[in-house]
Amino acid sequence: MAQRSALNPGGTRRIGNFGFIELEETWGDEATIINTARISTTNQRLANGHEFTDRDRALLYQLLRDQHGTPFETVYFRFRFIAPIFVLRQWVKHRVSSWNEFSMRYRKPISVAYVPDVTARTVDGFAVLDEAAIDEYEALMAQLFAWYEKQYSAACSRIDGARECGELAPKEGGRDPYRGRARELLRNVMPVATYSDVYWTVNFRSLMNFFKLRRKQDAQYEIREYADAAFALFAARLPLLAETMQRVLDESAAAGAAAQESSGHA
């Protein structure tokens, strides 16, 4: 994480006690969207968003407002993030994307657990978990990681001993199936607070839906932290698209609130 932050300081964020997110790569920009939308009307192409006129900006807004979705599927983003498994379980529900996760079948787990800070464990000024509970929480996480290390080391010693005495054939190239099976079994004790590592590739249409749902105030605190960080990285990379998206989302939310208020008075 320190290396990536040094190499890409404007494209990374730290989150919580061990969390991390990076916007590694983008493909396309606001001009890509406009060029795609105009395929049936003109052969002229914009090179990038810096060439936008007021007419181009208005078209970008209208396309997004009126839900002309496919032009917005031509812009892609690749994020890498390190997050607790319980956050990943919410995140992976956004299925219109590509997902590659670190596997504890091939490597030992990241031996760090998410620890909720004061904000995470406070609701309307009331701490639902006190410091004593957090101390026990951290001790329990440490105990589980220590148990894993102890049992994996013991399993590796048994495997090596069996090879030395000829009970098992010598290891050949590639993945060791015996150690691999030990990892597969031992990962079962890892809590959902354990951090995992993911590459997430997503088009803008799906990313907008992620922001719409996971940046809301009633979204769970932890995934909202990641969504807000992802939005900040995205907005720094494509500010016009971010501004246009936020305008459309704000107008949609206001219209929804007005409709709800109107139905309540009916």
Side-chain angles (χ1 to χ4, degrees), residues 87-161:
V87 171
L88 269 55
R89 287 183 175 176
Q90 298 177 54
W91 205 319
V92 77
K93 292 177 182 178
H94 296 267
R95 294 187 298 272
V96 187
S97 60
S98 175
W99 185 275
N100 291 88
E101 183 184 356
F102 160 91
S103 175
M104 284 186 270
R105 291 186 65 209
Y106 299 96
R107 295 174 60 188
K108 295 194 298 181
I110 298 171
S111 296
V112 180
Y114 165 71
V115 179
D117 59 18
V118 174
T119 303
R121 60 181 190 265
T122 302
V123 179
D124 297 331
F126 179 80
V128 297
L129 294 179
D130 61 17
E131 290 295 336
I134 294 300
D135 288 344
E136 290 186 27
Y137 171 107
E138 291 191 70
L140 180 59
M141 297 297 108
Q143 182 181 347
L144 287 170
F145 292 131
W147 185 88
Y148 179 103
E149 292 292 342
K150 176 183 176 182
Q151 296 302 328
Y152 185 64
S153 178
C156 290
S157 294
R158 285 195 299 274
I159 293 164
D160 292 343

Side-chain angles (χ1 to χ4, degrees), residues 107-214:
R107 295 174 60 188
K108 295 194 298 181
I110 298 171
S111 296
V112 180
Y114 165 71
V115 179
D117 59 18
V118 174
T119 303
R121 60 181 190 265
T122 302
V123 179
D124 297 331
F126 179 80
V128 297
L129 294 179
D130 61 17
E131 290 295 336
I134 294 300
D135 288 344
E136 290 186 27
Y137 171 107
E138 291 191 70
L140 180 59
M141 297 297 108
Q143 182 181 347
L144 287 170
F145 292 131
W147 185 88
Y148 179 103
E149 292 292 342
K150 176 183 176 182
Q151 296 302 328
Y152 185 64
S153 178
C156 290
S157 294
R158 285 195 299 274
I159 293 164
D160 292 343
R163 285 198 169 110
E164 289 175 4
C165 70
E167 183 180 350
L168 294 178
K171 180 184 178 300
E172 299 179 354
R175 179 173 180 262
D176 186 331
Y178 301 99
R179 291 190 180 208
R181 185 56 180 154
R183 289 191 298 269
E184 288 171 350
L185 294 173
L186 291 173
R187 68 178 174 169
N188 295 337
V189 305
M190 290 296 98
V192 294
T194 306
Y195 280 91
S196 192
D197 193 353
V198 174
Y199 274 112
W200 187 50
T201 307
V202 60
N203 68 47
F204 172 72
R205 188 179 186 182
S206 295
L207 183 63
M208 179 175 172
N209 184 59
F210 175 76
F211 289 148
K212 179 181 179 180
L213 295 176
R214 301 302 183 178

Side-chain angles (χ1 to χ4, degrees), residues 63 67-74 205:
L63 289 169
Q67 300 182 35
H68 294 281
T70 51
F72 296 95
E73 295 175 6
T74 60
R205 188 179 186 182

Side-chain angles (χ1 to χ4, degrees), residues 2-65:
Q3 181 187 51
R4 293 306 307 167
S5 296
L7 291 172
N8 186 14
T12 58
R13 294 285 189 281
R14 290 297 304 270
I15 301 169
N17 62 300
F18 195 75
F20 174 81
I21 187 167
E22 177 179 8
L23 177 53
E24 282 197 355
E25 197 81 52
T26 61
W27 298 270
D29 59 10
E30 296 92 346
T32 308
I33 297 165
I34 295 300
N35 292 338
T36 303
R38 285 176 171 160
I39 191 170
S40 296
T41 60
T42 180
N43 285 325
Q44 295 182 348
R45 293 290 178 264
L46 297 168
N48 53 61
H50 299 297
E51 296 185 356
F52 269 40
T53 64
D54 290 343
R55 180 169 173 264
D56 298 322
R57 293 185 184 90
L59 177 58
L60 184 69
Y61 163 71
Q62 291 164 10
L63 289 169
L64 199 55
R65 179 198 63 191

